[in-house]
Amino acid sequence: MTAPVRVAAARCLQQLLNEEGSLPQLLTEYRQKVQGGERALLAELCYGTIRHYWQLQGMLTQMSSKPLRAKDRDIELLILIGLYQLRYMNIGAHAAVNETVAACDTLKKSWARKLVNALLRRYQRESDALFDALSAAQKASLPDWMFDAFKVAWPDHINRIAAASTARPPLCLRVNSQQSPRDSYTRQLTEAGIAFQNCRYATTGIRLDSGRAVERIPGFETGAVSVQDEAAQLAAGFLPLAAGQTVLDMCAAPGGKTCHLLEREPGLTVVAADLIAHRLTRVQENLTRLSQSARLLQCDGKQPPFAEASFDHILLDAPCSGSGVLRRYPDIRVDRHAEDIAELTALQSQLLAAAWPLLKPGGELLYVTCSILPAENEQQAAAFLAATADAVNIAITSDAGFATDHGQQLLPDADSHDGFFFARFQKAR
């Protein structure tokens, strides 16, 4: 039996806030609980409400004389879903309010109908005043700690970061250069009537003007293209690859960078390692679709099972806060906490220290995060260099982002790439 889509959205978000799974994982489950024609609406309600969670919550707090009880979190989320519809969706206000109010009955909380109706009607009357009264962090729909960290790190860019972090992410493709150059592939898009733009920085990158399912992208199933953000596409080009080299891709899942390494240089031997075994299944699926091969290995990156000087190059795409990809993974803004950063930076340091002995003299390690927090990026790179006598910083030449003392920082751009950091270290000969 299917559930009304707004009820399914409220329950899905309740599990998310209870830390019972990521949003993509939970949506996979809840899509099966609504009618097929409502699955896109379910995703829009869940992603949109979480993307603007702190802003919507701030307006609800202003309108509420006292918070709802913990056991009525589903009603609170239903109200936020209603506010999201009224503020951001092209749904008639009458329908948005009525359908949201009706959802109280399905939740077996008919007592809340009057409350939900009153709050949504009040928002319609006072929306401008409610928004104006929000804090800067709430207007940016960021938790206070994250907004403050961004503002301290990037005071001249805070408005750009906030806008990019709540924007809808573009669908970006990476053309498989082993099959065709970018210009040849884009002719297929033109013939199919698909509007696009070439990426500015990634020479294999294409940004579609609107999203679509991968099965409707020409050549996807046959490996002509892969889905990968423009910033992530830059990584493989920052290593001096050559046929016959052996490369370790640490923390490799889901395999986008592994596959791109092989596309750029088919003569490589690549080992793709990841801590979680089932995530390597996704790496293999991508390799198979692209007719590529690599050795897959489940291991703890802090204790990698390789001999010293085993690899010509290492790509370390380190676990991080994800603060540069909030638009793609909006649930980060509710499940990431300030105290997590110290744990992450400690893990990054351990991974760097464990990977370095595996590198041959003269080889290079590329350190990558999808973060914009200096503690995970510039400060991490500086600390590694200070602690590692035979590590030499190699400047990255790129028009994307801007150079720091020890790397290249890209801030998220609403019309272009995600936020990423790259640092390149060479082992002295």
Side-chain angles (χ1 to χ4, degrees):
M1 182 176 179
T2 58
V5 65
R6 290 162 181 81
V7 171
R11 288 172 172 164
C12 178
L13 294 182
Q14 186 170 21
Q15 283 193 252
L16 175 69
L17 294 175
N18 288 340
E19 299 183 354
E20 297 175 24
S22 69
L23 189 49
Q25 290 169 338
L26 292 168
L27 273 174
T28 298
E29 172 189 348
Y30 276 91
R31 282 191 179 99
Q32 308 309 312
K33 299 182 180 183
V34 300
Q35 295 180 4
E38 292 191 319
R39 288 173 183 170
L41 176 57
L42 173 67
E44 172 69 21
L45 292 174
C46 290
Y47 270 100
T49 301
I50 287 300
R51 185 173 287 120
H52 297 280
Y53 176 81
W54 296 102
Q55 182 189 112
L56 301 173
Q57 185 68 56
M59 290 190 284
L60 175 57
T61 299
Q62 291 180 57
M63 294 188 290
S64 303
S65 57
K66 61 180 181 179
L68 287 162
R69 296 169 296 182
K71 69 176 184 178
D72 295 320
R73 190 68 182 276
D74 50 355
I75 295 298
E76 177 184 317
L77 289 165
L78 191 62
I79 296 167
L80 298 184
I81 289 166
L83 292 174
Y84 174 70
Q85 294 170 81
L86 292 173
R87 188 165 187 86
Y88 291 105
M89 291 188 68
N90 188 26
I91 293 178
H94 181 75
V97 172
N98 286 353
E99 292 295 328
T100 304
V101 169
C104 297
D105 295 334
T106 308
L107 291 170
K108 302 188 185 312
K109 295 183 178 181
S110 297
W111 59 265
R113 289 176 61 98
K114 185 175 180 181
L115 171 66
V116 174
N117 182 69
L119 289 170
L120 296 182
R121 297 296 184 191
R122 180 178 171 186
Y123 169 79
Q124 288 180 283
R125 297 190 304 269
E126 303 176 19
S127 59
D128 290 344
L130 291 167
F131 181 80
D132 289 343
L134 295 174
S135 68
Q138 289 171 329
K139 288 177 180 176
S141 206
L142 294 169
D144 289 339
W145 76 266
M146 189 178 288
F147 180 85
D148 292 343
F150 291 171
K151 191 172 182 180
V152 168
W154 312 111
D156 297 333
H157 302 280
I158 185 62
N159 291 333
R160 168 189 165 187
I161 292 169
S165 296
T166 54
R168 293 175 183 273
L171 178 58
C172 196
L173 306 179
R174 183 189 76 239
V175 177
N176 184 352
S177 55
Q178 293 300 309
Q179 289 197 20
S180 66
R182 180 169 65 178
D183 289 347
S184 295
Y185 177 77
T186 56
R187 285 196 286 273
Q188 295 184 49
L189 296 180
T190 301
E191 291 168 2
I194 299 173
F196 68 91
Q197 301 173 55
N198 286 339
C199 290
R200 178 180 177 186
Y201 305 111
T203 58
T204 53
I206 297 169
R207 188 170 62 254
L208 303 188
D209 287 1
S210 60
R212 59 179 46 224
V214 292
E215 58 267 19
R216 296 176 54 220
I217 297 173
F220 179 84
E221 295 296 340
T222 56
V225 290
S226 299
V227 175
Q228 188 178 41
D229 181 71
E230 180 178 11
Q233 291 186 42
L234 299 176
F238 291 153
L239 285 171
L241 305 175
Q245 293 177 338
T246 300
V247 179
L248 172 62
D249 185 359
M250 289 186 67
C251 311
K257 297 180 183 68
T258 299
C259 294
H260 197 195
L261 289 168
L262 291 162
E263 288 174 7
R264 289 186 66 90
E265 180 45 73
L268 294 177
T269 297
V270 176
V271 177
D274 202 89
L275 175 63
I276 303 173
H278 72 81
R279 285 169 56 85
L280 290 170
T281 302
R282 179 75 182 280
V283 180
Q284 185 58 62
E285 290 171 352
N286 282 319
L287 287 165
T288 300
R289 183 178 60 82
L290 293 164
S291 301
Q292 301 282 7
S293 62
R295 178 190 172 195
L296 306 187
L297 181 69
Q298 185 274 323
C299 70
D300 184 346
K302 301 193 296 295
Q303 298 175 312
F306 305 108
E308 290 190 7
S310 293
F311 298 98
D312 296 286
H313 303 302
I314 296 174
L315 171 60
L316 172 54
D317 191 358
C320 69
S321 65
S323 52
V325 292
L326 291 174
R327 62 182 183 174
R328 294 193 187 279
Y329 305 101
D331 41 332
I332 289 172
R333 69 187 71 231
V334 296
D335 63 19
R336 185 71 71 209
H337 307 289
E339 54 270 25
D340 296 339
I341 305 305
E343 282 186 29
L344 287 165
T345 55
L347 174 59
Q348 292 154 6
S349 297
Q350 290 174 305
L351 291 171
L352 280 165
W356 191 249
L358 311 181
L359 192 62
K360 295 177 182 179
E364 295 190 12
L365 183 151
L366 184 70
Y367 173 75
V368 184
T369 76
C370 54
S371 171
I372 61 172
L373 296 176
E376 300 181 275
N377 297 341
E378 173 64 18
Q379 293 170 20
Q380 187 70 265
F384 172 74
L385 287 166
T388 312
D390 58 348
V392 180
N393 184 58
I394 303 295
I396 291 175
T397 302
S398 177
D399 292 334
F402 50 87
T404 66
D405 289 342
H406 306 98
Q408 192 79 5
Q409 179 70 64
L410 280 67
L411 297 179
D413 188 321
D415 298 319
S416 183
H417 51 71
D418 291 338
F420 264 69
F421 177 80
F422 305 93
R424 184 176 165 184
F425 310 119
Q426 185 179 55
K427 180 174 281 191
R429 293 185 182 277

